[in-house]
Amino acid sequence: MDTHSLVAIDDLNRHEILDLLDRASYFEKNPNSHLLDGKVVATLFFEPSTRTRLSFETAVNRLGGRVIGFSDASTSSTSKGETLKDTIKMVSNYADLIVMRHFLEGAARYATEVTQVPIVNAGDGANQHPSQTLLDLYSIRKTQGRLEGLTITMVGDLKYGRTVHSLVMAMRHFKPVFNFVSSRELAMPQEYLDLCDELGIEYHVYTDFSPEVINSSDILYMTRVQRERFSDIMEYERVKDLYTLRNDMLADSKPTLRILHPLPRVNEINIDVDDNPKAYYFEQAHNGLFARQAIITACLGINPEK
Ligand code: CP
């Protein structure tokens, strides 16, 4: 990956994904340096975040750079009616790289069209969350020792959950078997099923979160039902608690199974799972720091090992 933006995981080929994961491994061993001395990174969060924003900002701080930005767009001139285009053009005067989260699908792509400054998409509506995907891949490879040939079970909100969309796009390079477990209303969008069909990727669609599905899995990827994407709150109430993982459901799962969740969780994973060695979601979030150090340096064209 040369100096440029990261908007969607499908902008990266297999080789570029693996390069970024190797770079993240380097940063896990060497998290502190002066690689970003003199650089300013802007974090523009038009939607709430804990992990993504703080891990990006920690990544910059640990590499010696400086951070500007906002975590609440109501404190920016957006609240006075400034357009996204003008905001991006203004911030481009001040920063070497812009990390942005926006509620509109395509907002990050649009931003790349109005500035020469690299843009990192930190989530655009229900569309994509590529930095989350890189930390997910990093976590999968670290816990399973490989990315090839794994059975990945995605559970919950597969319609609005942007992390599962990005993960499907990334894992297509690594011959996965997918289990998609959701209610019919929150099913994986047809375009992703069509992609699997085109590429000959095996997948199974379930409404039942059965022991057979759990026990066949290498990775259980639990997701939150995305309340903020529902126009009808009654519909959200009806589907929000359909799938909850409890510790007793893991009794016959593979010893190497790991449970991932992009977080935040609401009711999808009972807290009695947290002490099970197969629970990996807090370590997964920690891996986000190294994945984001890899992305920032790659987008800025900085080679960490020189
Ligand atoms: N996983 C994730 O995007 O978390 P935040 O919304 O807290 O950034």
Side-chain angles (χ1 to χ4, degrees):
M1 190 173 161
D2 287 327
T3 310
H4 62 54
S5 301
L6 178 58
V7 171
I9 201 71
D10 23 317
D11 294 342
L12 302 177
N13 62 32
R14 184 180 193 279
H15 176 72
E16 288 169 323
I17 288 173
L18 291 172
D19 265 0
L20 279 170
L21 298 185
D22 290 344
R23 197 179 267 252
S25 290
Y26 171 86
F27 283 117
E28 183 165 8
K29 295 183 200 95
N30 305 278
N32 300 305
S33 70
H34 292 281
L35 286 168
L36 294 186
D37 269 358
K39 299 287 186 199
V40 175
V41 173
T43 55
L44 310 184
F45 278 70
F46 296 86
E47 275 198 329
S49 167
T50 297
R51 277 146 294 276
T52 309
R53 184 175 67 82
L54 294 180
S55 62
F56 265 116
E57 294 186 356
T58 305
V60 175
N61 286 323
R62 287 197 178 278
L63 297 177
R66 293 180 183 237
V67 176
I68 59 170
F70 52 79
S71 57
D72 176 357
S74 71
T75 65
S76 79
S77 287
T78 302
S79 63
K80 301 179 204 160
E82 185 160 64
T83 62
L84 178 61
K85 177 180 178 181
D86 287 1
T87 301
I88 295 296
K89 287 183 91 61
M90 285 307 102
V91 176
S92 299
N93 290 327
Y94 314 132
D96 299 291
L97 180 138
I98 297 172
V99 177
M100 62 176 282
R101 171 172 288 186
H102 202 279
F103 46 86
L104 287 179
E105 294 182 19
R109 182 76 68 198
Y110 174 71
T112 65
E113 289 164 10
V114 300
T115 182
Q116 295 298 309
V117 170
I119 300 287
V120 177
N121 182 7
D124 60 329
N127 186 33
Q128 286 242 351
H129 194 350
S131 68
Q132 178 70 45
T133 307
L134 282 162
L135 78 90
D136 292 343
L137 295 177
Y138 188 74
S139 300
I140 292 169
R141 190 174 77 164
K142 193 167 152 186
T143 60
Q144 305 296 317
R146 68 190 204 280
L147 287 171
E148 266 81 12
L150 298 169
T151 297
I152 313 265
T153 297
M154 301 181 181
V155 185
D157 185 348
L158 307 187
K159 178 179 180 186
Y160 296 120
R162 56 194 171 201
T163 65
V164 288
H165 302 160
S166 293
L167 192 54
V168 167
M169 296 305 283
M171 284 304 298
R172 71 191 156 138
H173 298 296
F174 304 103
K175 296 189 175 54
V177 174
F178 289 126
N179 294 318
F180 299 130
V181 181
S182 74
S183 64
R184 287 186 216 294
E185 298 88 335
L186 297 181
M188 182 62 74
Q190 189 60 40
E191 67 194 269
Y192 296 99
L193 305 184
D194 289 345
L195 181 85
C196 290
D197 286 334
E198 269 168 41
L199 298 177
I201 294 172
E202 183 180 338
Y203 67 88
H204 309 275
V205 175
Y206 301 100
T207 52
D208 208 19
F209 191 22
S210 68
E212 291 71 28
V213 170
I214 294 172
N215 298 344
S216 72
S217 302
D218 297 301
I219 294 289
L220 260 185
Y221 195 96
M222 303 298 297
T223 65
R224 173 179 70 90
V225 176
Q226 307 271 302
R227 184 181 56 187
E228 61 275 33
R229 314 267 177 240
F230 282 74
S231 49
D232 177 355
I233 199 66
M234 294 307 289
E235 178 65 9
Y236 167 74
E237 289 295 329
R238 205 176 60 70
V239 295
K240 72 181 169 71
D241 292 327
L242 287 180
Y243 302 100
T244 300
L245 182 66
R246 299 181 317 275
N247 197 39
D248 59 280
M249 294 161 73
L250 297 167
D252 297 319
S253 60
K254 291 185 183 180
T256 52
L257 171 76
R258 290 294 176 273
I259 300 146
L260 302 187
H261 189 310
L263 303 177
R265 72 172 149 182
V266 184
N267 294 321
E268 313 79 55
I269 302 179
N270 201 312
I271 55 167
D272 70 358
V273 178
D274 292 358
D275 293 329
N276 190 314
K278 295 175 184 175
Y280 193 73
Y281 26 94
F282 297 122
E283 291 93 331
Q284 177 190 1
H286 188 192
N287 291 335
L289 173 57
F290 317 124
R292 287 169 176 136
Q293 288 182 315
I295 292 165
I296 291 165
T297 53
C299 285
L300 289 172
I302 294 169
N303 182 346
E305 300 196 58
K306 270 197 185 152

